[in-house]
Amino acid sequence: MKLAVYSSDVWGHVCPVVRLTGPAYFNGLQVLKGNDWEQGALAFSLEPVEQADLVVILRDFPRFTAEYRQVLQKARALGKKVVYGIDDLLIELPEGHPDAVHYRA
């Protein structure tokens, strides 16, 4: 099975490794990276959506609104299932949390 994965973290960061790429590897799933970080800027492609069996959006990738919407539009047009992977209730952080405004947006 092939997974098209979109993450706001660099691929070697603990979040994608522990939450998805590590477990996928050990379970024989192929991860197609839908985005990467080149010189600190988002590099983005819809090609993995076309090749994948399932599309996975990790944590706060939706903050890249235009790219996120393109992924959803492409997945829907191709009839692909989309999974939103989130392990924290980021949309309900308390007012005093330093990232509360960021995630509410």
Side-chain angles (χ1 to χ4, degrees), residues 44 57 61-73:
F44 170 76
I57 306 294
F61 182 79
R63 72 182 159 123
F64 302 102
T65 308
E67 292 83 358
Y68 170 67
R69 288 182 177 160
Q70 289 177 56
V71 171
L72 291 182
Q73 182 180 17

Side-chain angles (χ1 to χ4, degrees), residues 15-89:
C15 286
V17 172
V18 170
R19 292 180 171 104
L20 188 90
T21 60
Y25 171 77
F26 284 106
N27 285 288
L29 304 174
Q30 184 179 357
V31 173
L32 307 173
K33 297 173 183 174
N35 66 290
D36 213 333
W37 296 97
E38 296 178 2
Q39 300 175 346
L42 177 65
F44 170 76
S45 173
L46 290 173
E47 188 175 319
V49 176
E50 296 169 4
Q51 300 172 0
D53 301 301
L54 182 69
V55 178
V56 180
I57 306 294
L58 288 179
R59 290 180 60 88
D60 63 341
F61 182 79
R63 72 182 159 123
F64 302 102
T65 308
E67 292 83 358
Y68 170 67
R69 288 182 177 160
Q70 289 177 56
V71 171
L72 291 182
Q73 182 180 17
K74 185 72 162 181
R76 288 177 180 148
L78 296 172
K80 306 282 175 114
K81 301 272 186 203
V82 177
V83 173
Y84 179 40
I86 187 168
D87 63 342
D88 297 311
L89 194 52

